[in-house]
Amino acid sequence: MKIVFFLVLIPFFLFSQNDLEVDRKGQLLFSLGAEYRITPIYKVDLSTFSDGGFYTNIDKQNSGISGHIGLEWFMLDNISFEFEGSLRHDLLVNKPPTAFNDFEQEEAEKKLMIGYHLGLNYYFQVFKKGEVFIGGGISLLNRNSNYETEQVFFDQQGNITGTETRAGDYKFTAFKTFIGYKLNKNRISLGVYIAKNTPYFEGSTTFIIPNISYKYTFAKQ
């Protein structure tokens, strides 16, 4: 259903009427949109997983649809500075078993994840209609992802011998780069988040999240 959502948007986007902007310097534009984050790409090596990496499903936590709200300010006619906030309700942790030999028990806890995105966009005309744009910036991902989980220990008879509470969060900083197409008030783009240090691994591990984004600008063009 998530992929179908974007496939429905593409024809609407491509057949919109064109009204190419030529004088945008100083404009401040407001936008709403959605982003579909595809399953992350990373090297699977259980020996490098952190405790936090074992408490959650890394793929589920970093994929899916997020809602975006943003402001875009044009320093020049074809160069803009953009700030966005993103929201998504997603998996936080899978709590460990609290009963002896109940290895299949997993209680999924979800939370509202917040992201902040700062970047620059460069627009240029390639086709008769619309504009192509490229951009890059910094993204602060998985804010508000603090968790607390309790590990229960048993003896051979199944009696609880102790508990240990562990806490942490899943926030990390990533570089974002993208390329897209703009027609009137509609923008669609393909991009990637790239991070080297995340809370899922001990040490440095390349972590890539491909994404597809759609935005609608609320402004007179």
Side-chain angles (χ1 to χ4, degrees), residues 54-105:
F54 283 111
Y55 293 150
T56 191
N57 183 313
I58 299 175
D59 293 348
K60 286 185 179 180
Q61 188 177 89
N62 292 281
S63 61
I65 290 181
S66 62
H68 284 239
I69 181 171
L71 290 173
E72 184 178 15
W73 177 65
F74 280 85
M75 298 173 286
L76 299 171
D77 290 339
N78 62 338
I79 298 178
S80 68
F81 172 80
E82 191 165 25
F83 171 77
E84 284 187 328
S86 64
L87 291 172
R88 60 193 177 89
H89 189 252
D90 220 324
L91 174 70
L92 181 65
V93 292
N94 289 313
K95 293 190 174 181
T98 56
F100 186 60
N101 286 338
D102 188 6
F103 300 112
E104 305 237 344
Q105 177 182 335

Short mmCIF file of all heavy atoms in Angstrom, two decimals, residues 54-105:
data_model
loop_
_atom_site.label_atom_id
_atom_site.label_comp_id
_atom_site.label_asym_id
_atom_site.label_seq_id
_atom_site.Cartn_x
_atom_site.Cartn_y
_atom_site.Cartn_z
N PHE A 54 20.02 -4.93 19.61
CA PHE A 54 19.32 -6.18 19.88
C PHE A 54 17.92 -5.94 20.45
O PHE A 54 17.06 -6.80 20.35
CB PHE A 54 20.12 -7.04 20.85
CG PHE A 54 21.30 -7.73 20.21
CD1 PHE A 54 22.59 -7.36 20.54
CD2 PHE A 54 21.11 -8.74 19.28
CE1 PHE A 54 23.68 -8.00 19.95
CE2 PHE A 54 22.19 -9.39 18.68
CZ PHE A 54 23.48 -9.02 19.02
N TYR A 55 17.68 -4.78 21.03
CA TYR A 55 16.39 -4.52 21.67
C TYR A 55 15.30 -4.13 20.68
O TYR A 55 14.12 -4.14 21.03
CB TYR A 55 16.52 -3.38 22.69
CG TYR A 55 17.38 -3.72 23.89
CD1 TYR A 55 18.09 -2.72 24.54
CD2 TYR A 55 17.48 -5.02 24.37
CE1 TYR A 55 18.89 -3.00 25.64
CE2 TYR A 55 18.27 -5.31 25.46
CZ TYR A 55 18.98 -4.29 26.10
OH TYR A 55 19.77 -4.58 27.18
N THR A 56 15.69 -3.78 19.46
CA THR A 56 14.70 -3.32 18.48
C THR A 56 14.87 -4.06 17.17
O THR A 56 15.82 -4.82 16.98
CB THR A 56 14.85 -1.80 18.25
OG1 THR A 56 13.73 -1.32 17.50
CG2 THR A 56 16.13 -1.47 17.48
N ASN A 57 13.94 -3.84 16.25
CA ASN A 57 14.07 -4.33 14.87
C ASN A 57 14.56 -3.14 14.06
O ASN A 57 13.81 -2.20 13.78
CB ASN A 57 12.73 -4.83 14.35
CG ASN A 57 12.82 -5.42 12.95
OD1 ASN A 57 13.42 -4.84 12.05
ND2 ASN A 57 12.22 -6.58 12.76
N ILE A 58 15.83 -3.15 13.69
CA ILE A 58 16.46 -1.99 13.05
C ILE A 58 15.75 -1.63 11.75
O ILE A 58 15.53 -0.44 11.46
CB ILE A 58 17.96 -2.28 12.78
CG1 ILE A 58 18.68 -2.54 14.10
CG2 ILE A 58 18.60 -1.12 12.03
CD1 ILE A 58 20.13 -2.96 13.92
N ASP A 59 15.38 -2.64 10.95
CA ASP A 59 14.73 -2.38 9.66
C ASP A 59 13.36 -1.71 9.85
O ASP A 59 13.05 -0.73 9.17
CB ASP A 59 14.57 -3.68 8.87
CG ASP A 59 15.91 -4.26 8.45
OD1 ASP A 59 16.93 -3.55 8.57
OD2 ASP A 59 15.94 -5.42 8.00
N LYS A 60 12.56 -2.24 10.77
CA LYS A 60 11.23 -1.66 10.99
C LYS A 60 11.32 -0.26 11.57
O LYS A 60 10.53 0.62 11.22
CB LYS A 60 10.42 -2.57 11.93
CG LYS A 60 9.91 -3.84 11.28
CD LYS A 60 9.02 -4.61 12.24
CE LYS A 60 8.48 -5.87 11.58
NZ LYS A 60 7.60 -6.64 12.51
N GLN A 61 12.27 -0.04 12.46
CA GLN A 61 12.38 1.26 13.12
C GLN A 61 12.77 2.37 12.14
O GLN A 61 12.44 3.53 12.36
CB GLN A 61 13.39 1.21 14.27
CG GLN A 61 13.39 2.47 15.11
CD GLN A 61 14.34 2.38 16.27
OE1 GLN A 61 15.51 2.72 16.16
NE2 GLN A 61 13.85 1.91 17.42
N ASN A 62 13.46 2.04 11.08
CA ASN A 62 13.98 3.06 10.17
C ASN A 62 13.37 3.02 8.78
O ASN A 62 13.92 3.60 7.85
CB ASN A 62 15.50 2.92 10.07
CG ASN A 62 16.19 3.28 11.36
OD1 ASN A 62 16.36 4.45 11.69
ND2 ASN A 62 16.57 2.27 12.13
N SER A 63 12.22 2.37 8.63
CA SER A 63 11.54 2.37 7.34
C SER A 63 10.07 2.72 7.55
O SER A 63 9.57 2.71 8.67
CB SER A 63 11.67 1.00 6.66
OG SER A 63 11.08 -0.01 7.46
N GLY A 64 9.40 3.05 6.45
CA GLY A 64 7.99 3.42 6.53
C GLY A 64 7.75 4.87 6.19
O GLY A 64 8.66 5.60 5.78
N ILE A 65 6.51 5.32 6.37
CA ILE A 65 6.11 6.67 5.98
C ILE A 65 6.23 7.65 7.14
O ILE A 65 5.85 7.33 8.27
CB ILE A 65 4.67 6.67 5.45
CG1 ILE A 65 4.61 5.95 4.09
CG2 ILE A 65 4.14 8.09 5.27
CD1 ILE A 65 3.24 5.92 3.47
N SER A 66 6.75 8.83 6.85
CA SER A 66 6.80 9.92 7.83
C SER A 66 6.16 11.16 7.20
O SER A 66 6.25 11.38 5.99
CB SER A 66 8.23 10.22 8.27
OG SER A 66 9.02 10.64 7.17
N GLY A 67 5.51 11.97 8.03
CA GLY A 67 4.94 13.23 7.57
C GLY A 67 5.94 14.36 7.74
O GLY A 67 6.69 14.39 8.72
N HIS A 68 5.96 15.29 6.78
CA HIS A 68 6.94 16.38 6.81
C HIS A 68 6.25 17.74 6.71
O HIS A 68 5.26 17.90 5.99
CB HIS A 68 7.93 16.24 5.65
CG HIS A 68 8.95 15.17 5.86
ND1 HIS A 68 10.29 15.39 5.87
CD2 HIS A 68 8.80 13.84 6.10
CE1 HIS A 68 10.95 14.26 6.08
NE2 HIS A 68 10.06 13.30 6.22
N ILE A 69 6.80 18.71 7.41
CA ILE A 69 6.38 20.10 7.31
C ILE A 69 7.64 20.94 7.22
O ILE A 69 8.62 20.68 7.93
CB ILE A 69 5.50 20.50 8.53
CG1 ILE A 69 5.04 21.95 8.40
CG2 ILE A 69 6.24 20.29 9.85
CD1 ILE A 69 4.01 22.34 9.45
N GLY A 70 7.66 21.92 6.30
CA GLY A 70 8.91 22.63 6.09
C GLY A 70 8.77 24.07 5.62
O GLY A 70 7.69 24.52 5.21
N LEU A 71 9.87 24.79 5.70
CA LEU A 71 10.01 26.15 5.20
C LEU A 71 11.20 26.19 4.26
O LEU A 71 12.25 25.62 4.55
CB LEU A 71 10.22 27.15 6.34
CG LEU A 71 9.03 27.41 7.27
CD1 LEU A 71 9.48 28.28 8.44
CD2 LEU A 71 7.90 28.09 6.51
N GLU A 72 11.03 26.86 3.12
CA GLU A 72 12.09 26.98 2.13
C GLU A 72 12.29 28.46 1.79
O GLU A 72 11.34 29.14 1.38
CB GLU A 72 11.75 26.19 0.87
CG GLU A 72 12.86 26.19 -0.18
CD GLU A 72 12.51 25.37 -1.39
OE1 GLU A 72 11.31 25.02 -1.56
OE2 GLU A 72 13.42 25.07 -2.20
N TRP A 73 13.51 28.95 1.96
CA TRP A 73 13.82 30.36 1.70
C TRP A 73 14.83 30.45 0.56
O TRP A 73 15.89 29.82 0.61
CB TRP A 73 14.39 31.03 2.94
CG TRP A 73 14.81 32.46 2.70
CD1 TRP A 73 14.01 33.50 2.38
CD2 TRP A 73 16.15 32.97 2.75
NE1 TRP A 73 14.75 34.65 2.22
CE2 TRP A 73 16.07 34.35 2.44
CE3 TRP A 73 17.39 32.40 3.02
CZ2 TRP A 73 17.19 35.18 2.41
CZ3 TRP A 73 18.51 33.22 2.99
CH2 TRP A 73 18.40 34.58 2.68
N PHE A 74 14.47 31.24 -0.48
CA PHE A 74 15.34 31.38 -1.64
C PHE A 74 16.32 32.53 -1.44
O PHE A 74 15.94 33.70 -1.43
CB PHE A 74 14.50 31.60 -2.90
CG PHE A 74 13.92 30.33 -3.46
CD1 PHE A 74 12.72 29.82 -2.97
CD2 PHE A 74 14.59 29.63 -4.44
CE1 PHE A 74 12.20 28.64 -3.46
CE2 PHE A 74 14.08 28.44 -4.95
CZ PHE A 74 12.88 27.95 -4.45
N MET A 75 17.59 32.18 -1.30
CA MET A 75 18.65 33.19 -1.22
C MET A 75 18.90 33.81 -2.59
O MET A 75 19.20 34.99 -2.71
CB MET A 75 19.94 32.55 -0.70
CG MET A 75 19.81 32.01 0.71
SD MET A 75 21.28 31.10 1.21
CE MET A 75 21.06 29.59 0.26
N LEU A 76 18.79 32.98 -3.63
CA LEU A 76 18.87 33.40 -5.03
C LEU A 76 17.71 32.76 -5.77
O LEU A 76 16.98 31.93 -5.22
CB LEU A 76 20.22 32.97 -5.64
CG LEU A 76 21.48 33.54 -5.00
CD1 LEU A 76 22.72 32.86 -5.58
CD2 LEU A 76 21.56 35.05 -5.18
N ASP A 77 17.53 33.08 -7.04
CA ASP A 77 16.42 32.52 -7.80
C ASP A 77 16.48 31.00 -7.88
O ASP A 77 15.43 30.34 -7.97
CB ASP A 77 16.41 33.10 -9.22
CG ASP A 77 16.02 34.57 -9.23
OD1 ASP A 77 15.40 35.02 -8.24
OD2 ASP A 77 16.34 35.26 -10.21
N ASN A 78 17.68 30.43 -7.86
CA ASN A 78 17.81 28.99 -8.03
C ASN A 78 18.49 28.28 -6.86
O ASN A 78 18.79 27.09 -6.94
CB ASN A 78 18.55 28.67 -9.33
CG ASN A 78 19.98 29.22 -9.31
OD1 ASN A 78 20.28 30.14 -8.54
ND2 ASN A 78 20.84 28.67 -10.14
N ILE A 79 18.75 28.97 -5.76
CA ILE A 79 19.37 28.36 -4.59
C ILE A 79 18.54 28.68 -3.36
O ILE A 79 18.22 29.84 -3.09
CB ILE A 79 20.81 28.86 -4.38
CG1 ILE A 79 21.69 28.48 -5.58
CG2 ILE A 79 21.40 28.25 -3.10
CD1 ILE A 79 23.11 28.99 -5.48
N SER A 80 18.16 27.65 -2.62
CA SER A 80 17.32 27.85 -1.45
C SER A 80 17.88 27.10 -0.23
O SER A 80 18.57 26.10 -0.35
CB SER A 80 15.89 27.38 -1.73
OG SER A 80 15.85 25.96 -1.88
N PHE A 81 17.53 27.64 0.92
CA PHE A 81 17.83 27.01 2.20
C PHE A 81 16.53 26.44 2.74
O PHE A 81 15.50 27.11 2.71
CB PHE A 81 18.41 28.03 3.18
CG PHE A 81 18.56 27.51 4.58
CD1 PHE A 81 19.65 26.72 4.92
CD2 PHE A 81 17.62 27.80 5.55
CE1 PHE A 81 19.79 26.23 6.20
CE2 PHE A 81 17.76 27.32 6.84
CZ PHE A 81 18.85 26.53 7.17
N GLU A 82 16.56 25.20 3.25
CA GLU A 82 15.32 24.55 3.68
C GLU A 82 15.45 23.96 5.08
O GLU A 82 16.48 23.37 5.43
CB GLU A 82 14.96 23.44 2.69
CG GLU A 82 13.56 22.88 2.87
CD GLU A 82 13.10 22.07 1.68
OE1 GLU A 82 13.96 21.54 0.94
OE2 GLU A 82 11.88 21.95 1.47
N PHE A 83 14.40 24.12 5.87
CA PHE A 83 14.31 23.50 7.19
C PHE A 83 13.02 22.69 7.24
O PHE A 83 11.96 23.17 6.85
CB PHE A 83 14.29 24.54 8.31
CG PHE A 83 13.99 23.94 9.66
CD1 PHE A 83 14.96 23.24 10.34
CD2 PHE A 83 12.72 24.04 10.21
CE1 PHE A 83 14.69 22.66 11.57
CE2 PHE A 83 12.43 23.47 11.45
CZ PHE A 83 13.43 22.78 12.12
N GLU A 84 13.12 21.44 7.71
CA GLU A 84 11.95 20.57 7.79
C GLU A 84 11.90 19.88 9.15
O GLU A 84 12.93 19.61 9.77
CB GLU A 84 12.02 19.47 6.73
CG GLU A 84 11.68 19.90 5.34
CD GLU A 84 11.62 18.70 4.42
OE1 GLU A 84 12.35 17.72 4.63
OE2 GLU A 84 10.81 18.75 3.49
N GLY A 85 10.68 19.57 9.55
CA GLY A 85 10.46 18.69 10.68
C GLY A 85 9.68 17.48 10.21
O GLY A 85 8.85 17.59 9.31
N SER A 86 9.96 16.33 10.79
CA SER A 86 9.26 15.10 10.38
C SER A 86 8.72 14.38 11.61
O SER A 86 9.31 14.45 12.70
CB SER A 86 10.18 14.18 9.58
OG SER A 86 11.26 13.72 10.38
N LEU A 87 7.60 13.67 11.42
CA LEU A 87 6.96 12.92 12.49
C LEU A 87 6.56 11.54 11.99
O LEU A 87 6.08 11.41 10.86
CB LEU A 87 5.70 13.64 12.99
CG LEU A 87 5.87 14.95 13.76
CD1 LEU A 87 4.50 15.59 13.97
CD2 LEU A 87 6.55 14.71 15.09
N ARG A 88 6.74 10.52 12.81
CA ARG A 88 6.25 9.18 12.48
C ARG A 88 6.08 8.38 13.76
O ARG A 88 6.88 8.50 14.69
CB ARG A 88 7.19 8.46 11.52
CG ARG A 88 8.59 8.26 12.05
CD ARG A 88 9.56 7.83 10.97
NE ARG A 88 10.90 7.72 11.50
CZ ARG A 88 11.40 6.60 12.05
NH1 ARG A 88 10.65 5.51 12.08
NH2 ARG A 88 12.61 6.58 12.54
N HIS A 89 5.05 7.59 13.81
CA HIS A 89 4.78 6.72 14.95
C HIS A 89 5.29 5.34 14.59
O HIS A 89 4.75 4.67 13.71
CB HIS A 89 3.28 6.69 15.26
CG HIS A 89 2.95 6.00 16.54
ND1 HIS A 89 2.35 4.77 16.58
CD2 HIS A 89 3.15 6.37 17.83
CE1 HIS A 89 2.19 4.40 17.84
NE2 HIS A 89 2.65 5.34 18.62
N ASP A 90 6.36 4.92 15.27
CA ASP A 90 7.01 3.69 14.82
C ASP A 90 7.55 2.89 16.01
O ASP A 90 7.51 3.32 17.16
CB ASP A 90 8.17 4.03 13.87
CG ASP A 90 8.24 3.05 12.71
OD1 ASP A 90 7.97 1.86 12.93
OD2 ASP A 90 8.58 3.48 11.60
N LEU A 91 8.08 1.71 15.68
CA LEU A 91 8.62 0.79 16.68
C LEU A 91 9.75 1.44 17.48
O LEU A 91 10.66 2.03 16.91
CB LEU A 91 9.14 -0.48 16.00
CG LEU A 91 9.86 -1.48 16.90
CD1 LEU A 91 8.87 -2.14 17.85
CD2 LEU A 91 10.57 -2.54 16.06
N LEU A 92 9.69 1.30 18.81
CA LEU A 92 10.78 1.75 19.65
C LEU A 92 11.64 0.55 20.07
O LEU A 92 12.79 0.43 19.65
CB LEU A 92 10.24 2.48 20.89
CG LEU A 92 11.30 3.03 21.85
CD1 LEU A 92 12.11 4.12 21.17
CD2 LEU A 92 10.65 3.55 23.13
N VAL A 93 11.09 -0.33 20.88
CA VAL A 93 11.82 -1.53 21.31
C VAL A 93 10.88 -2.73 21.34
O VAL A 93 9.66 -2.60 21.43
CB VAL A 93 12.44 -1.35 22.72
CG1 VAL A 93 13.56 -0.33 22.70
CG2 VAL A 93 11.38 -1.00 23.75
N ASN A 94 11.49 -3.91 21.29
CA ASN A 94 10.80 -5.15 21.59
C ASN A 94 11.25 -5.58 22.98
O ASN A 94 12.43 -5.91 23.19
CB ASN A 94 11.17 -6.24 20.57
CG ASN A 94 10.55 -5.97 19.22
OD1 ASN A 94 9.38 -5.65 19.10
ND2 ASN A 94 11.35 -6.11 18.17
N LYS A 95 10.35 -5.53 23.96
CA LYS A 95 10.73 -5.82 25.33
C LYS A 95 11.03 -7.32 25.49
O LYS A 95 10.33 -8.16 24.94
CB LYS A 95 9.63 -5.38 26.29
CG LYS A 95 9.48 -3.86 26.33
CD LYS A 95 8.55 -3.43 27.45
CE LYS A 95 8.53 -1.92 27.55
NZ LYS A 95 7.66 -1.44 28.65
N PRO A 96 12.09 -7.65 26.24
CA PRO A 96 12.49 -9.06 26.40
C PRO A 96 11.48 -9.84 27.23
O PRO A 96 10.63 -9.25 27.93
CB PRO A 96 13.84 -8.95 27.12
CG PRO A 96 13.79 -7.63 27.82
CD PRO A 96 12.99 -6.73 26.94
N PRO A 97 11.54 -11.19 27.20
CA PRO A 97 10.61 -12.03 27.95
C PRO A 97 10.68 -11.79 29.45
O PRO A 97 11.74 -11.47 29.99
CB PRO A 97 11.06 -13.45 27.60
CG PRO A 97 11.82 -13.31 26.33
CD PRO A 97 12.47 -11.97 26.39
N THR A 98 9.56 -11.95 30.13
CA THR A 98 9.51 -11.82 31.58
C THR A 98 9.11 -13.14 32.24
O THR A 98 8.89 -13.19 33.44
CB THR A 98 8.51 -10.73 32.00
OG1 THR A 98 7.23 -11.02 31.43
CG2 THR A 98 8.97 -9.36 31.49
N ALA A 99 9.01 -14.21 31.43
CA ALA A 99 8.67 -15.54 31.96
C ALA A 99 9.74 -16.53 31.52
O ALA A 99 10.34 -16.40 30.46
CB ALA A 99 7.30 -15.99 31.45
N PHE A 100 10.00 -17.52 32.35
CA PHE A 100 11.05 -18.50 32.11
C PHE A 100 10.78 -19.31 30.84
O PHE A 100 9.68 -19.80 30.63
CB PHE A 100 11.15 -19.45 33.32
CG PHE A 100 12.30 -20.41 33.24
CD1 PHE A 100 13.60 -19.95 33.16
CD2 PHE A 100 12.06 -21.77 33.24
CE1 PHE A 100 14.66 -20.84 33.10
CE2 PHE A 100 13.12 -22.67 33.18
CZ PHE A 100 14.42 -22.20 33.11
N ASN A 101 11.80 -19.43 30.00
CA ASN A 101 11.74 -20.20 28.74
C ASN A 101 10.72 -19.65 27.74
O ASN A 101 10.35 -20.35 26.80
CB ASN A 101 11.43 -21.68 29.00
CG ASN A 101 12.63 -22.41 29.57
OD1 ASN A 101 13.77 -21.95 29.41
ND2 ASN A 101 12.40 -23.53 30.23
N ASP A 102 10.25 -18.43 27.94
CA ASP A 102 9.30 -17.84 27.00
C ASP A 102 10.09 -17.00 25.99
O ASP A 102 10.02 -15.78 25.97
CB ASP A 102 8.29 -16.96 27.75
CG ASP A 102 7.16 -16.48 26.84
OD1 ASP A 102 7.13 -16.92 25.67
OD2 ASP A 102 6.34 -15.68 27.28
N PHE A 103 10.86 -17.69 25.14
CA PHE A 103 11.78 -17.00 24.24
C PHE A 103 11.07 -16.31 23.08
O PHE A 103 11.64 -15.49 22.40
CB PHE A 103 12.81 -18.01 23.69
CG PHE A 103 13.60 -18.66 24.77
CD1 PHE A 103 13.44 -20.01 25.05
CD2 PHE A 103 14.50 -17.92 25.53
CE1 PHE A 103 14.19 -20.61 26.05
CE2 PHE A 103 15.24 -18.53 26.54
CZ PHE A 103 15.08 -19.88 26.81
N GLU A 104 9.81 -16.68 22.85
CA GLU A 104 9.11 -16.09 21.72
C GLU A 104 8.34 -14.82 22.09
O GLU A 104 7.84 -14.13 21.24
CB GLU A 104 8.12 -17.13 21.16
CG GLU A 104 8.80 -18.42 20.80
CD GLU A 104 8.59 -18.79 19.38
OE1 GLU A 104 7.70 -18.23 18.77
OE2 GLU A 104 9.32 -19.63 18.88
N GLN A 105 8.24 -14.55 23.37
CA GLN A 105 7.45 -13.39 23.80
C GLN A 105 8.16 -12.10 23.44
O GLN A 105 9.31 -11.88 23.79
CB GLN A 105 7.25 -13.45 25.31
CG GLN A 105 6.50 -12.24 25.86
CD GLN A 105 6.36 -12.31 27.37
OE1 GLN A 105 6.38 -13.38 27.94
NE2 GLN A 105 6.22 -11.17 28.00
#
